[in-house]
């Protein structure tokens, strides 16, 4: 059966409603990942009822990030913290990438060093339980984790490549390309389509993804809201 690409229009909602339902909290109108997993959330639609449900699921002092095609008027309880243009890309073409370094599988036992690399490079939301969402791969130098990438959103027929980051001292060595290529092969072997998201202003990363066979599917906005 061919994948239903329309599912990618609501990737977070559809992941939380299907393959990642075990990580979800909320109701039939608004859902979010457990905060220790990731900050991503979604609404079923932009109705007043759905937005009110979102306001209930976010607790005081918390924030949540949503991928939206249009930015609605949020309830008064929620504050718009920031918004950034987002590019969604899907993998469409085979590209051969030679892996000339050792790649290892990472897990919860590695979460502290993964979080340290995330804090240094800031690729996007990542929590203590994010490694539970899928396969995460890393490259080390002298025992130190210097590059990683993994699988985040999973929905029927699709898996998202995410948390792509490399220590500044190790950029330019092709580590991100090797990790993404390895993940793409794994996702393909499951009969799924790899996809990813990148800040639209990050043109350097988008060029790398294009060189790996990804093409732009849609443009949207990542919106971060919080409750005081």
């Amino acid at each position: 059966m061919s994948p239903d690409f329309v599912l990618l229009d609501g990737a977070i909602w559809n992941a939380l409603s299907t393959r990642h339902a075990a990580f979800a909290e909320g109701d039939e109108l608004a859902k979010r990942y457990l905060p220790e997993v990731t900050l991503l959330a979604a609404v079923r639609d932009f109705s007043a009822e759905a937005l009110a449900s979102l306001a209930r699921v976010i607790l005081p002092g918390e924030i949540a990030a949503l991928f939206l095609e249009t930015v609605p008027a949020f309830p008064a309880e929620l504050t718009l913290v920031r918004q950034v243009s987002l590019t969604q890309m899907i993998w469409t073409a085979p590209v051969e990438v030679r892996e000339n370094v050792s790649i290892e599988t990472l897990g919860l036992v590695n979460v502290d060093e993964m979080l340290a690399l995330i804090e240094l490079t800031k690729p996007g939301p990542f929590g203590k339980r994010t490694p539970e969402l899928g396969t995460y791969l890393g490259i080390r130098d002298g025992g130190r984790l210097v590059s990683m990438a993994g699988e985040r959103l999973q929905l029927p027929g699709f898996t998202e490549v995410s948390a792509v980051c490399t220590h500044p001292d190790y950029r330019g060595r092709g580590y991100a390309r090797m990790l993404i290529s390895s993940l793409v092969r794994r996702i393909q072997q499951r009969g799924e389509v790899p996809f990813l998201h990148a800040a639209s202003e990050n043109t350097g990363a988008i060029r790398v993804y294009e060189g790996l066979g990804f093409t732009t599917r849609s443009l949207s906005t990542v919106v971060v809201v919080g409750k005081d």
Side-chain angles (χ1 to χ4, degrees):
M1 181 181 297
S2 300
D4 182 1
F5 284 88
V6 174
L7 291 174
L8 293 178
D9 293 337
I12 298 175
W13 178 266
N14 289 320
L16 287 168
S17 301
T18 58
R19 295 173 63 188
H20 278 171
F23 299 105
E25 62 180 16
D27 55 29
E28 72 282 359
L29 295 173
K31 301 178 188 291
R32 72 168 179 176
Y33 280 89
L34 298 171
E36 62 270 24
V37 176
T38 185
L39 299 176
L40 298 182
V43 289
R44 188 186 68 185
D45 52 45
F46 293 148
S47 66
E49 293 80 9
L51 293 171
S53 180
L54 177 68
R56 288 193 296 271
V57 78
I58 300 173
L59 301 180
E62 294 183 336
I63 61 173
L66 298 88
F67 297 167
L68 303 174
E69 292 185 4
T70 58
V71 181
F74 290 101
E77 307 98 294
L78 296 178
T79 300
L80 180 60
V81 178
R82 64 181 178 274
Q83 58 186 70
V84 178
S85 178
L86 193 68
T87 297
Q88 184 185 84
M89 308 182 75
I90 57 172
W91 187 87
T92 59
V95 176
E96 184 65 30
V97 176
R98 179 176 298 178
E99 297 172 7
N100 54 18
V101 297
S102 176
I103 293 177
E104 71 170 79
T105 301
L106 304 172
L108 290 178
V109 67
N110 310 110
V111 70
D112 288 341
E113 54 187 336
M114 295 170 78
L115 287 169
L117 188 58
I118 291 288
E119 178 61 27
L120 180 66
T121 57
K122 302 188 184 307
F126 195 95
K128 287 184 175 296
R129 293 183 58 194
T130 300
E132 296 181 36
L133 295 178
T135 298
Y136 281 79
L137 304 176
I139 295 173
R140 296 183 181 277
D141 180 59
R144 179 171 64 162
L145 182 66
V146 298
S147 189
M148 75 174 197
E151 300 171 349
R152 187 173 60 179
L153 300 177
Q154 296 195 35
L155 49 151
F158 302 92
T159 292
E160 179 196 30
V161 175
S162 183
V164 181
C165 55
T166 300
H167 191 288
D169 294 344
Y170 291 84
R171 290 173 182 163
R173 304 187 187 192
Y175 288 172
R177 288 175 57 85
M178 296 178 207
L179 292 170
I180 296 170
S181 178
S182 181
L183 287 168
V184 163
R185 286 198 302 273
R186 292 166 182 254
I187 295 168
Q188 273 195 301
Q189 287 169 0
R190 299 198 299 262
E192 300 167 7
V193 177
F195 73 106
L196 55 78
H197 294 93
S200 299
E201 64 184 21
N202 194 350
T203 56
I206 289 174
R207 283 196 298 270
V208 170
Y209 301 146
E210 288 173 340
L212 284 164
F214 285 86
T215 59
T216 295
R217 176 181 178 271
S218 65
L219 300 177
S220 59
T221 304
V222 56
V223 177
V224 179
V225 295
K227 182 185 286 187
D228 295 332

